[in-house]
Every structure is written in structure tokens, then in C-alpha cells.
Amino acid sequence: MRSAVVVGAGVGGLAVAGALARSGWQVTLLERAERVRPEPTAVVLWPNGVRALQALGLGAGLAAIATPLPDGGVRRPDGHWLVQPRPVPADRMPVVVHREDLHDALIAGLGDRVELRTGVTVRHVRVEPGERPGVSDGRHTIEADLVVAADGTDSGIRRQLAPESRVVSSGCAAWRAVIPWYQAPRLPDDQPMAGEILGAGYRFVAASLGERGSSGGSTRGGIYWVATAAGAPRPEPPETQLALLRRWYAGWPAPVGALLEATDPADLVQQEVRELRPLPRSYGFPVGPGGVVLLGDAAHAMPPHLGQGACLAFEDAATLASLLREARLPDAVQAYDRVRRPRATTVVRQTRRMSAVLQTRGRLALRARDAALGTINSRLLSSAATSAAQWRPPAGPAVRG
């Protein structure tokens, strides 16, 4: 029986651990935290992420918890429309999922061939020629045929294997929260959800998780919002951070003010937005009879502006699982690198272009951006949507040439 060590129990690590186990692998899943638990927020999954989960055998579980996310358009803080809402074909419409629901679905997919060990910090990865790969916490070493580094943006395995790739600030911070239906404000029928509102270095996006009064597909329904602001994360407690957000976004179109007023500080999650520059030169490292691969944020951490972080992690997992079914292990590791690196590079490039648009500052620059935003935003989002809609998991032998 082939064996794997997956380092990191985020969404990418859980997805690939379950996929390998269902393919007959014995999997050890290592997590540095003492408990495996997700943020109490939500995640947007584009068609590529949905298709990847379907390829991993998790499509039925996703359908039970996902809420379609129609196009909400783009407005300025004064309410002026920059890009009007437009109909979205079903095959290009993203969905929004509560992270706790997604986590539960991924945990349910692990099966009994996954051994989960928490409180383990991997400090070293063994990549000696002729030996099986392995990881060590400084006291014990675990060998396996395959090591999957899904240990996030601050991946210690990536630092050892791809030291050229550094974690840098993207120049902004993000705040997220889910307002449960029982405390969410009731919005007038003719008042749209916030969609996307774009200011000078500030952005606000909101979406419904299910429908009020019913689970609506999500067992944890409510209104999910994300606020992004240029600058560093705030050191103040959540109550003060929320007060600052209410001040920064005062006067913005409804329902921004109502959503911020209804948010409980205990539900607020702040995050510094960071990325990898440059991306690693390789995502796959053959080692003896096996190898090591980078997956998810460990391979391609990027700003969240196009909502592709989790989607690419699921693509990684689906691609790796497909290749391992069709090829010898060292060949599959090399094929994984050939397939995933160009794909990640394309999505990261699109995300950075959007990041530059969103962080425009200065009166003249803002006027120029707003005047061109309909064209720029439509082109970028259309390119990203097309890329998301067209992605398919590899067919195995077809990608090995």
C-alpha cells in the first residue's frame, strides 16, 4: 500500500488527504494547531473549484451547502454604478459556502485510512537522493512515498525547497464576517445586496448564504461580507476594529452601514493580505522512489480579489489525485509541476492586475480608473471567469508527454 504524509489540514490538505485515502493510500495528516477548525466565515467557489470538488468525489456534499452568487455589479461609494449587474450563465456562476460547512464536508470525506495528528510542527523535510521522502518535527521522522506540503502561506517545507519564493505584504488588510440570519438586518425588497463597492483603496462585498427563514442549502445561513482597506492590519481589539470600519465606510451605499452595525465583534476576522513573490520555480520534487509536492497557498498564495485561493487548492488536489492514478510516482510528481505551475502563474497574474485596479489612489488616478473600470473590470473578470469555467482535471496519460 502506498503511503503519503500531508502537512497542513486546511481545505487543500483535507481535500487531497481524502482523495488519496479513497484511492487506496494510507495517509498521515499533520496539523500544527491543537485543533482542526475553520474560520467562522465563508468562501466563494468559482466553477473551477466546484468542478475540482466534483472530480474529488465531493460534489454531492457541496451541492447541499452551496448558495449561487449572482453578479451584483460594481458601484462607487456615492452609489454611482461603474458596472451594472449582468446575467451570468449557470456554468460561470460562482457559489458561496460557509467555511464550517465546507470543513465538515471535507472531514466527512477523509475515511478510515487517514490518521490525523494535531499539535505537530514540521521543521524539516528530507529530500536525500535515493531515500524515501520524510518530514520531521525535530524529534521524530515520518517516512512516506509522497509528501504533500499543504501548510499554507508560511509553509516551512516551501522555505526549504524553494527559498527563492518569499512571503510579502500585498499592501492591504481584509475583514470578514458572517451575520447569522437571526441578527441580520431586514433589507427592503428593492434594495440590492452590496455586490461590490469600490473606493480609493477600500472595497466592500457582500453575499447571502441561503435564504432567511430556511437553511437555503447552508446549515449556517446569513449574510457574508468582506471589507478590504489599504494599509497594515489593525492591532486594536475587534470592537475597535469594527468601530473603525463603520467610520471608514460611513456614507457608503446601503446596506453597508446596516451590515456593519449588525455585526458582532466576536464574529469579525481580520487578515493581513499576503502573497508569494516570486512563485516557486517548481511545485514537484522527485525524491528517490517518491517525491514532494507543494499544494494550495504553500505553492501560490495570492490576494483574494478574484476568489481563486481555495479553488486553485482544490484544482491542485484533483490534479494530483488524477495523475497518481495514472502514472508512476516520480513521473506523476514531475507531471504535477508541468501542469500546475503554468496554471497558477496565469491566475496569479490576473489577480495582481485586479489588485492594481482595486488599490488605485489619488484623485486623477481614481477618475481615470472609474472612467475605464467598465472596460478594465469586465475584461479582467471575463478572462478570469472564462479560465475558471474552462478548467478540467487532467486525463492522466495525456499530460505526461
Side-chain angles (χ1 to χ4, degrees):
M1 180 183 295
R2 293 189 292 182
S3 63
V5 173
V6 177
V7 182
V11 294
L14 290 172
V16 75
L20 293 177
R22 290 190 294 276
S23 296
W25 289 62
Q26 186 65 44
V27 182
T28 302
L29 178 58
L30 306 178
E31 168 57 38
R32 69 167 67 95
E34 294 296 333
R35 293 180 58 192
V36 178
R37 56 184 178 184
E39 292 180 351
T41 61
V43 60
V44 173
L45 297 178
W46 289 80
N48 55 317
V50 173
R51 193 170 291 117
L53 286 173
Q54 291 170 340
L56 290 166
L58 300 172
L62 178 64
I65 59 177
T67 302
L69 183 61
D71 181 11
V74 184
R75 290 181 286 171
R76 289 194 317 218
D78 62 5
H80 176 78
W81 284 104
L82 295 170
V83 182
Q84 290 277 352
R86 288 165 295 184
V88 180
D91 65 342
R92 293 195 177 192
M93 185 176 291
V95 298
V96 60
V97 184
H98 200 292
R99 283 186 177 270
E100 293 178 356
D101 287 336
L102 181 60
H103 175 266
D104 290 349
L106 293 171
I107 288 289
L110 290 180
D112 58 5
R113 285 183 172 169
V114 177
E115 178 190 0
L116 173 60
R117 303 183 190 177
T118 59
V120 179
T121 300
V122 171
R123 305 184 185 280
H124 180 76
V125 57
R126 189 176 69 192
V127 288
E128 304 299 330
E131 295 190 28
R132 297 175 78 207
V135 296
S136 171
D137 63 357
R139 296 177 300 170
H140 308 288
T141 297
I142 304 175
E143 292 184 347
D145 299 307
L146 176 69
V147 172
V148 180
D151 47 346
T153 304
D154 294 310
S155 170
I157 294 177
R158 186 199 60 246
R159 284 198 300 268
Q160 181 179 335
L161 298 180
E164 73 281 356
S165 189
R166 304 294 181 89
V167 179
V168 300
S169 172
S170 298
C172 58
W175 291 262
R176 297 178 173 86
V178 171
I179 308 171
W181 283 127
Y182 70 84
Q183 68 184 56
R186 287 192 173 273
L187 307 179
D189 292 339
D190 60 349
Q191 183 181 102
M193 188 56 70
E196 179 176 342
I197 307 175
L198 189 58
Y202 294 85
R203 183 191 190 203
F204 194 95
V205 183
S208 294
L209 279 165
E211 297 180 1
R212 189 187 296 270
S214 69
S215 63
S218 171
T219 61
R220 299 176 176 92
I223 299 177
Y224 170 54
W225 63 259
V226 182
T228 307
R234 305 295 303 194
E236 298 90 351
E239 293 81 2
T240 305
Q241 293 179 30
L242 192 53
L244 285 171
L245 291 172
R246 290 166 180 161
R247 187 175 74 195
W248 292 343
Y249 292 91
W252 281 44
V256 174
L259 295 181
L260 292 175
E261 284 297 328
T263 300
D264 188 325
D267 294 329
L268 188 67
V269 176
Q270 179 188 214
Q271 177 186 15
E272 181 183 14
V273 179
R274 301 181 298 158
E275 60 189 283
L276 293 180
R277 286 184 180 261
L279 293 178
R281 295 194 189 99
S282 179
Y283 290 165
F285 306 85
V287 179
V292 181
V293 299
L294 304 179
L295 184 145
D297 284 347
H300 38 65
M302 70 189 84
H305 306 313
L306 291 179
Q308 282 294 323
C311 294
L312 281 193
F314 293 141
E315 283 188 23
D316 291 343
T319 300
L320 182 62
S322 176
L323 294 172
L324 289 170
R325 285 194 297 268
E326 302 291 344
R328 293 177 55 251
L329 186 48
D331 294 337
V333 169
Q334 292 177 323
Y336 174 82
D337 175 58
R338 289 198 304 271
V339 172
R340 294 310 298 161
R341 214 157 25 94
R343 168 65 173 166
T345 299
T346 297
V347 176
V348 168
R349 185 183 302 117
Q350 292 171 336
T351 300
R352 288 175 181 169
R353 288 173 181 166
M354 181 60 74
S355 183
V357 171
L358 298 178
Q359 297 188 43
T360 301
R361 307 294 292 273
R363 183 178 300 176
L364 293 178
L366 279 169
R367 286 180 179 174
R369 182 202 68 183
D370 290 352
L373 187 60
T375 300
I376 295 172
N377 195 69
S378 297
R379 187 168 62 245
L380 282 171
L381 291 179
S382 177
S383 176
T386 298
S387 177
Q390 291 179 342
W391 180 85
R392 296 289 189 279
V399 301
R400 294 207 307 268

